[in-house]
């Protein structure tokens, strides 16, 4: 089964995108995903795309994708690897932070409408993505909540589009943090405005993990080494922004 056999509602529920958006995505990746043969049974692009998207959006285990697509788990693994590699090569097209004057002006206006903070260009925060214990230095990936993870730093714009590459943050001239010891009404107003604006990045992270359950711990830890898991995270961020660019209601 591929997305072509799904109804529009099934496609939205299973793959978090409209069929038209998935079709366009498969067309973008067509040259990279053309059948090269696998155990004597070459898989078409629409099957590879469906298998990988269902993996990203359902959970971090491959069995459910295998059941949906009606192929062996080894074939699912092959699909996920191919699609992830192809999307990662194109991630920069969607995971970017444009600094031209028009983009800067639009972000400043957009953030200003939220709570009045002037000249804001982006919001920054971190989130943990659970991974299996790395073979090399597992202790280096053990977080304060006592599970192994990658600490992913993200920046979002006023639309909630995310830029992810790899804490607390210090106060800098270009980085505004909350005032901890309030001494005036002005500082209280600043904190209120800061908190209302910062909620956008929290919503963006929540949306990212809701759409792509493989990044959420409720779906289990990603069963990959840290380097491969980092590629999958970047791909999910790119897909989130791709969906936004296609007018998807996330």
């Amino acid at each position: 089964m591929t997305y072509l056999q799904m109804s529009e509602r099934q496609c939205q529920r299973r793959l978090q995108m409209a069929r038209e958006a998935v079709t366009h995505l498969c067309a973008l990746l067509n040259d990279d995903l053309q059948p090269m043969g696998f155990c004597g049974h070459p898989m078409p692009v629409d099957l590879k795309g469906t298998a990988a998207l269902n993996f990203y959006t359902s959970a971090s285990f491959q069995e459910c994708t295998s059941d949906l697509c009606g192929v062996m788990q080894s074939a699912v693994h092959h699909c996920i690897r191919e699609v992830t590699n192809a999307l990662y090569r194109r991630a920069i097209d969607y995971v970017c932070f444009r600094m031209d004057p028009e983009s800067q002006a639009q972000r400043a206006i957009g953030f200003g409408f939220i709570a009045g903070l002037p000249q804001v260009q982006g919001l920054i925060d971190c989130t943990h993505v659970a991974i299996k214990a790395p073979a090399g230095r597992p202790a280096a990936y053990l977080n304060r909540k006592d599970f192994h993870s990658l600490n992913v730093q993200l920046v979002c714009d006023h639309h909630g589009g995310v830029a992810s590459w790899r804490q607390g943050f210090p106060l800098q001239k270009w980085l505004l943090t909350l005032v901890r010891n309030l001494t005036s009404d002005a500082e209280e107003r600043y904190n209120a405005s800061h908190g209302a604006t910062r909620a956008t990045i929290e919503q963006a992270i929540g949306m990212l993990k809701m759409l792509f359950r493989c990044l959420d711990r409720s779906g289990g830890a990603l069963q990959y080494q840290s380097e491969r898991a980092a590629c999958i995270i970047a791909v999910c961020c790119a897909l989130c922004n791709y969906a936004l660019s296609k007018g998807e209601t996330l």
Side-chain angles (χ1 to χ4, degrees), residues 42-93:
M43 292 178 290
V45 172
D46 57 300
L47 176 60
K48 293 177 181 179
T50 302
L53 286 174
N54 187 72
F55 168 75
Y56 301 142
T57 60
S58 60
S60 55
F61 295 96
Q62 298 173 0
E63 287 85 351
C64 59
T65 296
S66 178
D67 293 341
L68 170 70
C69 295
V71 295
M72 295 174 59
Q73 186 177 339
S74 58
V76 171
H77 177 80
H78 177 79
C79 293
I80 294 169
R81 184 180 69 245
E82 266 200 274
V83 175
T84 298
N85 289 344
L87 285 170
Y88 187 73
R89 286 192 291 269
R90 289 168 172 76
I92 194 64
D93 294 336

Side-chain angles (χ1 to χ4, degrees), residues 131-165:
I131 60 172
K132 71 176 183 178
R137 295 182 300 140
Y141 293 85
L142 196 63
N143 62 39
R144 62 184 177 83
K145 295 185 178 179
D146 204 33
F147 66 90
H148 296 91
S149 68
L150 291 180
N151 191 10
V152 183
Q153 181 174 285
L154 300 104
V155 177
C156 82
D157 61 15
H158 56 291
H159 295 302
V162 292
S164 151
W165 301 119

Side-chain angles (χ1 to χ4, degrees), residues 150-225:
L150 291 180
N151 191 10
V152 183
Q153 181 174 285
L154 300 104
V155 177
C156 82
D157 61 15
H158 56 291
H159 295 302
V162 292
S164 151
W165 301 119
R166 308 210 201 187
Q167 275 97 287
F169 301 102
L171 179 65
Q172 302 283 349
K173 289 182 177 179
W174 51 271
L175 182 63
L176 301 179
T177 59
L178 288 172
V179 177
R180 293 299 178 188
N181 300 307
L182 299 174
T183 60
S184 68
D185 290 342
E187 289 178 346
E188 288 187 13
R189 291 195 299 271
Y190 163 78
N191 270 8
S193 182
H194 185 286
T197 304
R198 187 180 176 278
T200 303
I201 183 67
E202 296 172 348
Q203 293 164 0
I205 291 173
M207 178 180 69
L208 181 68
K209 288 189 170 184
M210 180 186 71
L211 292 174
F212 302 102
R213 302 296 293 180
C214 71
L215 305 184
D216 192 84
R217 197 181 174 203
S218 65
L222 279 170
Q223 299 299 298
Y224 296 89
Q225 291 299 316

Side-chain angles (χ1 to χ4, degrees), residues 12-60:
Q12 289 276 9
R13 185 170 60 86
R14 287 278 193 172
L15 308 182
Q16 300 294 352
M17 291 185 206
R19 287 182 59 181
E20 183 179 355
V22 180
T23 298
H24 184 257
L25 183 66
C26 288
L28 286 176
L29 304 179
N30 185 67
D31 291 344
D32 298 275
L33 302 180
Q34 277 299 316
M36 299 296 289
F38 183 68
C39 298
H41 300 285
M43 292 178 290
V45 172
D46 57 300
L47 176 60
K48 293 177 181 179
T50 302
L53 286 174
N54 187 72
F55 168 75
Y56 301 142
T57 60
S58 60
S60 55

